[in-house]
Amino acid sequence: MSKPRYRWWGYVKSMIRNYPAVQDKYCQGNALKERMAVQKAIEQTEKMTNGTERMQVVDMVFFSRSHTLAGAALMVPCSYATAKRWIQRFIELVAKNYGLMDES
């Protein structure tokens, strides 16, 4: 069974990459909704098992953009497949918080 492809996937990744630029700034409208979706996903991820490591991978790949996914996996350390799963889960959390995915 193949995985579904979401049209919003790139949009959510862009939202996540833009988060550090709007994190402490006044926002309203759509920008505020995007920031709150990412912020809530960060809080949810930190509460998960290995939450600190998951957020380190997200930070290196999306926020600071200092590592590729493979490089971030080596730094944490975890396998590439695990890091990829963590990133996918984070993107899905942001999408759910923004309202792009149904709660399931």
Side-chain angles (χ1 to χ4, degrees):
M1 183 172 204
S2 65
K3 294 171 95 175
R5 296 188 184 240
Y6 299 110
R7 289 180 284 154
W8 48 256
W9 193 266
Y11 174 59
V12 173
K13 285 173 67 173
S14 175
M15 243 192 277
I16 296 167
R17 285 188 195 108
N18 191 46
Y19 177 74
V22 297
Q23 183 178 5
D24 296 323
K25 294 186 179 174
Y26 174 76
C27 298
Q28 60 184 17
N30 197 42
L32 177 61
K33 187 176 176 185
E34 290 175 357
R35 186 181 79 188
M36 296 306 291
V38 176
Q39 194 169 324
K40 186 174 178 184
I42 290 170
E43 292 166 4
Q44 292 169 325
T45 302
E46 288 174 342
K47 293 177 185 174
M48 292 179 179
T49 305
N50 299 321
T52 304
E53 291 83 5
R54 289 173 184 247
M55 283 311 303
Q56 287 175 342
V57 172
V58 170
D59 179 60
M60 287 186 267
V61 174
F62 286 121
F63 299 155
S64 63
R65 299 184 204 177
S66 61
H67 293 75
T68 62
L69 186 55
L74 288 172
M75 294 299 291
V76 167
C78 66
S79 70
Y80 175 81
T82 299
K84 184 177 177 182
R85 204 170 37 252
W86 289 350
I87 289 289
Q88 289 171 340
R89 178 72 176 127
F90 187 78
I91 293 170
E92 289 169 355
L93 277 174
V94 173
K96 283 180 186 175
N97 294 336
Y98 190 75
L100 296 171
M101 281 183 75
D102 294 334
E103 295 294 326
S104 54

